[in-house]
Amino acid sequence: MGEGKIRNILITGGAGFIGSSLCLALLKSDYNIIVIDNLSKQVHGKQPEKSQLYQRIKNKVKFINSCVTKIDNYISYLKSADAIIHLAAETGTGQSMYEINKYSDVNISGTSKILDYLVNNKHNLKKFIVASSRSIYGEGKYIDANNKFVFPDARLEADLENNFFECKSDLSNSVLKLVATSEDCLIKPSSVYGLTKYFQEQIVKTVCNSVSIPSIALRFQNVYGPGQSLSNPYTGILSIFSNLILNKSRINIFEDGKQSRDFVYINDVVDSIIISLESDLSGHYSFNVGSGEATTVLQIFKLLSSSYSIDCDYYISGNYRLGDIRHNFADLSLIKQKLNFSPKWKINEGIFQFCEWVKDQKISKIDYEGSLNEMKSKNLFKQ
C-alpha cells in the first residue's frame, strides 16, 4: 500500500461477533490489525479464551486483552493507527435500562478517552469509523392519516397493558403507518443503550471535525449470522430463539408477534465497514446499514423452526418489555448514493446459512428466564 494509505487498523471490540468477522475479511488484504477486546463473559462464555469468536482471530492479529476504558493498555497502538474501527460497546436495550453506569462507562467514557488522546497527542489517524445503532431512532418514521411524517414517542405503558401495541397518532389516536427510517429522521432513543450510541456518534463527529479526521458512523440494524453468540440471553433474538428451539423449550413470543425489525446479515455489515474504510469520503457522515426490509418476530420464529425442521411449541403471550420499539426498517438511499453499498443477502438466505452454522455448534441451555426475571425485578418486563 502506498504512502499515506491506511495500513494499521485498530479495532476495538474486535473479538466480538462483528469484530471477528471483520478481522477475517480484512486479513485477506494487506492490513496490520490490532484488536482491543476484554473478552466479556456475557459474549464469550465462562471460558472466554476458548470461545469460538476469540479462536477465529487468535494468533492472526495483534491482540490486547483490555477494556476499551483502560486506554493506557493500548495507547502505543493509538499512536501508530491509520484507522480506528470502534466496535467496543455494551449492547442490549433491555439490560441497559438497569445497568446504566456500566453502559455509560464503556460506551461513553471509552469513546471519550480515545478521542481525548487524539486531540492532545500526535497521531497518524486518517479515518475513524464508529458502530452506531438503529436504536437511536426510537420508534423511527411513520406517516399519519394525512400523509404527514410522524416520529412517535415511546409507546405508553397503559396501551401496552391493554394489548394495544401499535404506534398511534397523538392527535387522532389512529394507528400510524410504518415507512423506512432515513438518516435525517428525528433522534428519539427509547433506551439507555440508544442514548449512548447516539452520544458515540455525536462526540466522534464533533471531535474528529475539530482535528480534521474523516469519520463515519454506521447505524447497524439487527445484525445476525454465523458467529454470533449463542450463549448471551440478553441480546440477539435469532440466537435466543435458536437456543430455545434446539432445547425443545416452549417459546414465549412477546406482544402479538407482529413487531418487526430490519435483520441484516453479517456479511453485508462487514462489507459496509470495509467500503467505509476504503472510501475517499472526507468530512463526517452517518449511514444506515440494513436489509431495507421489515420482518416480524413471528416470521423469524417460523423461518428458524422450518430451517431446523423442529415443530417447536410456542405461544403469543402479550408480554412486553419497556424500552422496546414496535417497528423499524432502514432507508438505505444515502449509503447507496455515497458509498455505492447495497445489501446482498435476503432474510431467508441469511437464516439458512445461520441455521446451518448453528447445527454444527455445541448448544448449552441459556438462562433466558433468568434474564427476564432480572428485568421483571426492575419493573421493566411485564407479564
Side-chain angles (χ1 to χ4, degrees), residues 9 29 45 108 110 115 162 256 263 334 342 359:
I9 305 173
S29 301
I108 294 176
L115 293 168
N162 290 315
D256 57 2
F263 294 92
L334 186 62
S342 295
K359 290 173 186 177

Side-chain angles (χ1 to χ4, degrees), residues 171-235:
L171 298 176
S172 66
N173 234 22
S174 60
V175 173
L176 298 170
K177 180 181 177 182
L178 177 69
V179 294
T181 298
S182 53
E183 291 86 350
D184 59 356
C185 288
L186 290 182
I187 304 300
K188 301 177 76 171
S190 58
S191 68
V192 171
Y193 172 68
L195 286 166
T196 64
K197 296 309 286 184
Y198 189 56
F199 176 89
Q200 285 184 309
E201 267 199 42
Q202 291 304 297
I203 196 171
V204 166
K205 177 180 178 179
T206 300
V207 175
C208 285
N209 182 60
S210 74
V211 290
S212 300
I213 300 171
S215 69
I216 293 176
L218 297 174
R219 296 174 177 173
F220 298 139
Q221 309 298 302
N222 289 65
V223 186
Y224 74 98
Q228 71 184 88
S229 174
L230 298 174
S231 60
N232 187 349
Y234 295 95
T235 185

Side-chain angles (χ1 to χ4, degrees), residues 10 15 24 71 190 233 361 377:
L10 188 150
L24 294 178
I71 193 169
S190 58
Q361 308 308 306
S377 71

Side-chain angles (χ1 to χ4, degrees), residues 241-306:
F241 276 3
S242 292
N243 193 293
L244 296 172
I245 290 169
L246 292 171
N247 280 292
K248 297 186 167 73
S249 300
R250 191 177 186 219
I251 293 182
N252 175 354
I253 294 179
F254 297 166
E255 301 189 16
D256 57 2
K258 297 178 183 178
Q259 63 272 36
S260 65
R261 301 290 185 270
D262 185 328
F263 294 92
V264 56
Y265 192 61
I266 183 62
N267 292 24
D268 285 329
V269 168
V270 168
D271 285 350
S272 75
I273 298 171
I274 295 175
I275 290 169
S276 298
L277 178 72
E278 297 178 345
S279 75
D280 294 326
L281 278 183
S282 59
H284 313 280
Y285 291 89
S286 295
F287 295 119
N288 289 331
V289 178
S291 68
E293 298 179 355
T295 306
T296 69
V297 169
L298 188 55
Q299 286 174 320
I300 288 294
F301 167 75
K302 290 181 177 180
L303 282 169
L304 289 170
S305 296
S306 176

